[in-house]
Amino acid sequence: CRVPVNASIVCNRVGFVATLALAVYELPAPGEKLLQDAEKLCAFLRRSLRTDGSVHYTDGATDVPAQVAPAGINEYPGLALQALAASNRHAPTEWKKDAVKRGVTHYHLRFRAHPHPLLAATVLPAAADLYAQTK
């Protein structure tokens, strides 16, 4: 997979990778090389997924993201889920569908406990995209 070299303190890795992959998938006619690179970026995002549906968006494996970068919980996970949903449009796989479903469920519960407009604005597009693909 492709991995950003800067630490997330400089530029959040999960947020950057997700945004870059989304940009590739939204191009009108991306070349095969760009699509392959976007899939490699999504492989990086896959490594950030947790079994409970959350997205680990900090660098340390034992970090608690909500404590290390509390503002990021409303932005980076939703971007990662959006990128995976867009990737699933290009190259459908069960793990992508499952990741987005689990993520939407997890962050729906988070939203109910701690409502934030940015969390809704980043997670809802992923849910809508996957719904449009799968009904």
Side-chain angles (χ1 to χ4, degrees):
C1 70
R2 291 198 169 264
V3 179
V5 293
N6 289 332
S8 285
I9 195 81
V10 175
C11 175
N12 186 273
R13 290 177 177 194
V14 169
F16 175 74
V17 165
T19 303
L20 186 56
L22 279 168
V24 170
Y25 292 121
E26 296 305 320
L27 288 171
E32 191 57 36
K33 172 75 169 109
L34 276 178
L35 290 171
Q36 289 172 357
D37 288 343
E39 286 299 309
K40 290 178 183 176
L41 293 172
C42 287
F44 171 79
L45 293 175
R46 185 179 190 180
R47 295 183 353 190
S48 300
L49 302 174
R50 299 294 180 245
T51 57
D52 66 354
S54 65
V55 177
H56 189 83
Y57 59 88
T58 57
D59 294 343
T62 59
D63 289 349
V64 177
Q67 292 175 350
V68 174
I73 198 162
N74 295 315
E75 182 177 3
Y76 306 129
L79 290 173
L81 296 175
Q82 284 182 52
L84 293 176
S87 172
N88 194 63
R89 258 187 282 130
H90 163 68
T93 63
E94 284 302 312
W95 76 261
K96 292 174 192 172
K97 286 186 239 177
D98 291 342
V100 175
K101 286 178 193 175
R102 281 194 319 270
V104 168
T105 300
H106 177 83
Y107 290 106
H108 175 250
L109 295 173
R110 164 96 186 151
F111 182 82
R112 291 181 103 183
H114 306 283
H116 195 282
L118 187 56
L119 181 61
T122 58
V123 174
L124 283 174
D129 192 356
L130 188 64
Y131 176 79
Q133 295 173 45
T134 62
K135 302 286 188 261

